[in-house]
Amino acid sequence: MTVAPAPILTRRPRALLAVACAAQFVAVLDVSIVNVALPPIQESLALDATGLQWVVSSYTLTFAGFLLLGGRVGDLWGHKRAFIGGLLVFSLASLVCGFAQTGWQLIAARFVQGAGAAVLVPTTLTLVTAGLTDQRARARALSVLTAAAAAGGGFGAIIGGVLTGLLSWRWVFFVNVPLGAVLVAAAAWVMIGQGRRDTRGRLDLPGSVTVTVGTAALVSAVILAEDQGLAVSTVGALMLAVAAFAAFVVVERRAPDPIVPLGVFRVRAVSAANGLAALVSGVLPATMFFLSLYLQQVLGMDPLLTGLALTPGAIGIALGARAASLGVGRLGPRRLFVIGSLLAAAGLVWLSAIGPQDRYEWAVLPPLVLVMVGLGASGLPLTLAATSGLPTEQAGLASGLLSASKQVGSAVGLALLVAVASAAASTGAGLLTGAGLLAAGCLLAFTLPTERTPR
């Protein structure tokens, strides 16, 4: 049975959008905020290279793996309760991360932190789509929400560098605690509540477990392949991923309340948007990862200066997303995605030529802004396509699917591009591969909708 949630009632749509954007920003921010802080974390907690990688990957694994379940939790239990509950889990886990005294404590808390974010992120999109009834206002709000998520990815290295440089690495986690408290209070004020709902639906736990195991195993296989090659552990993780996804399909066909009704993939726009999101989402974190290392290890910048040097990129993402909101009505999702992706690919080709003798203001700054403007512009078309053609009661499903595709693509894509750069002993090879992924996305973009006024 599909359970339709009651509409979310609010007399403050702008405040609702502000709360949703802030939550989206904070959750996506924590994917990359630790990158600049990794060296001091390693020194403080005596982590080896594998443990340091798990500091990053543990959050991404549970974030990506539980996103579908997170969207379904909001549909069945109420989006206000899911939003506040996910935010509380995320904030408390961040507090534990900040106080961690050993590596395993930090990694375990990051797993829990990712689970909280997995409930929080799909709920934010549903809050906007269900809380705004006017179609034009909803389209504008989706563009702002997309910009907030993109800015979270772009600002991660910047904020992490500033906090680490001025305070310590622990503050990249502590900062979430006061932000979480403010957002919980704001959500309680903005969201008046939901009316009575049909509570006969239930969570599809077998489907949730199989898709989560499959996603986590796939990401683990990529991480292990980068570190160990085709070792037994790598092959085992890959086989587990295949078996779990096969079991997921079988379970969903038989489940009375499937977490992912397989019929949604018959909607071409939904399938296309999720496929493209998985293909290109690794480009942004990989670009910030490579540039963070280049600025510190090649140009000799400290974490604070590195964060400031990456700031124009985050501004570029916001500008690109804003331009997309103004241009999608004229160009349509397909053309807008292609234009944004081509701009980003051109910037990556430009960046791939940087060397130790280059100056930041000439060799890094212009292509960095070009890449981020393009990525910011290409995000909105995927959001519009992924949420079109489905009934309102599947809003949480649509948002969970898109968020999961982005996070899985981000984790797998980052590992792939880093592996390419390591094999070629050249950052440029990784950046060129990212440009190739964007070019492939342009070729596959014919599957996106062409209408100039998205439904």
Side-chain angles (χ1 to χ4, degrees), residues 74-85:
D75 283 343
L76 292 179
W77 293 352
H79 298 105
K80 179 178 180 179
R81 282 184 284 182
F83 182 89
I84 293 177

Side-chain angles (χ1 to χ4, degrees), residues 198-290:
D198 184 352
T199 57
R200 290 176 293 170
R202 61 179 179 225
L203 287 175
D204 174 22
L205 291 179
S208 302
V209 170
T210 51
V211 73
T212 301
V213 170
T215 303
L218 176 61
V219 177
S220 298
V222 176
I223 294 172
L224 290 169
E226 179 188 352
D227 185 49
Q228 303 177 13
L230 290 178
V232 175
S233 57
T234 304
V235 176
L238 186 59
M239 293 178 62
L240 176 60
V242 172
F245 283 129
F248 171 73
V249 173
V250 174
V251 167
E252 295 307 279
R253 286 181 174 176
R254 300 177 179 178
D257 296 301
I259 190 173
V260 181
L262 299 181
V264 301
F265 294 109
R266 298 191 186 101
V267 180
R268 192 177 76 170
V270 175
S271 299
N274 282 276
L276 286 171
L279 177 66
V280 304
S281 291
V283 173
L284 173 59
T287 302
M288 301 304 285
F289 177 84
F290 289 137

Side-chain angles (χ1 to χ4, degrees), residues 268-280 333-335 337-338 341-342 382 385 436-450:
R268 192 177 76 170
V270 175
S271 299
N274 282 276
L276 286 171
L279 177 66
V280 304
R334 180 186 300 178
R335 292 180 182 176
F337 176 82
V338 170
S341 296
L342 289 178
L382 299 183
L437 292 178
L438 291 171
C442 291
L443 296 177
L444 298 175
F446 69 90
T447 55
L448 290 175
T450 58

Side-chain angles (χ1 to χ4, degrees), residues 386-413:
T387 55
S388 66
L390 294 177
T392 303
E393 61 267 19
Q394 292 182 329
L397 168 64
S399 58
L401 273 176
L402 181 62
S403 298
S405 298
K406 287 181 177 180
Q407 294 308 317
V408 172
S410 177
V412 176

Side-chain angles (χ1 to χ4, degrees), residues 60-447:
T60 306
L61 281 173
T62 49
F63 192 6
F66 285 100
L67 272 169
L68 290 175
L69 178 61
R72 188 62 173 157
V73 166
D75 283 343
L76 292 179
W77 293 352
H79 298 105
K80 179 178 180 179
R81 282 184 284 182
F83 182 89
I84 293 177
L87 191 55
L88 288 173
V89 171
F90 175 84
S91 301
L92 292 174
S94 299
L95 185 64
V96 176
C97 287
F99 281 118
Q101 299 299 311
T102 63
W104 72 264
Q105 290 175 351
L106 177 59
I107 293 171
R110 286 280 282 173
F111 273 113
V112 179
Q113 191 186 31
V119 176
L120 183 62
V121 166
T123 306
T124 58
L125 181 54
T126 309
L127 286 172
V128 172
T129 56
L132 299 175
T133 56
D134 180 75
Q135 294 296 322
R136 293 183 180 274
R138 183 181 296 174
R140 288 193 297 268
L142 285 174
S143 70
V144 175
L145 193 65
T146 301
F155 273 104
I158 301 165
I159 297 177
V162 172
L163 291 174
T164 303
L166 294 180
L167 299 171
S168 78
W169 65 265
R170 297 183 184 276
W171 278 94
V172 302
F173 304 111
F174 283 149
V175 70
N176 293 325
V177 179
L179 291 176
V182 171
L183 286 176
V184 167
W189 172 67
V190 169
M191 301 175 203
I192 297 174
Q194 293 170 283
R196 296 179 59 187
R197 295 174 295 111
D198 184 352
T199 57
R200 290 176 293 170
R202 61 179 179 225
L203 287 175
D204 174 22
L205 291 179
S208 302
V209 170
T210 51
V211 73
T212 301
V213 170
T215 303
L218 176 61
V219 177
S220 298
V222 176
I223 294 172
L224 290 169
E226 179 188 352
D227 185 49
Q228 303 177 13
L230 290 178
V232 175
S233 57
T234 304
V235 176
L238 186 59
M239 293 178 62
L240 176 60
V242 172
F245 283 129
F248 171 73
V249 173
V250 174
V251 167
E252 295 307 279
R253 286 181 174 176
R254 300 177 179 178
D257 296 301
I259 190 173
V260 181
L262 299 181
V264 301
F265 294 109
R266 298 191 186 101
V267 180
R268 192 177 76 170
V270 175
S271 299
N274 282 276
L276 286 171
L279 177 66
V280 304
S281 291
V283 173
L284 173 59
T287 302
M288 301 304 285
F289 177 84
F290 289 137
L291 286 180
S292 178
L293 293 179
Y294 172 78
L295 294 175
Q296 293 184 76
Q297 298 179 355
V298 179
L299 298 189
M301 295 184 180
D302 59 22
L304 176 59
L305 190 56
T306 298
L308 296 176
L310 294 173
T311 300
I315 297 174
I317 288 178
L319 292 177
R322 177 57 180 166
S325 68
L326 298 175
V328 69
R330 294 183 177 182
L331 299 174
R334 180 186 300 178
R335 292 180 182 176
L336 187 58
F337 176 82
V338 170
I339 291 172
S341 296
L342 289 178
L343 287 176
L348 288 175
V349 173
W350 188 350
L351 274 176
S352 67
I354 57 177
Q357 304 302 321
D358 289 320
R359 295 177 60 87
Y360 163 81
E361 58 270 24
W362 301 113
V364 178
L365 180 58
L368 168 64
V369 173
L370 183 61
V371 171
M372 296 307 166
V373 167
L375 293 178
S378 63
L380 177 61
L382 299 183
T383 302
L384 291 173
T387 55
S388 66
L390 294 177
T392 303
E393 61 267 19
Q394 292 182 329
L397 168 64
S399 58
L401 273 176
L402 181 62
S403 298
S405 298
K406 287 181 177 180
Q407 294 308 317
V408 172
S410 177
V412 176
L414 173 61
L416 172 65
L417 296 181
V418 170
V420 170
S422 298
S426 169
T427 297
L431 293 171
L432 287 175
T433 304
L437 292 178
L438 291 171
C442 291
L443 296 177
L444 298 175
F446 69 90
T447 55

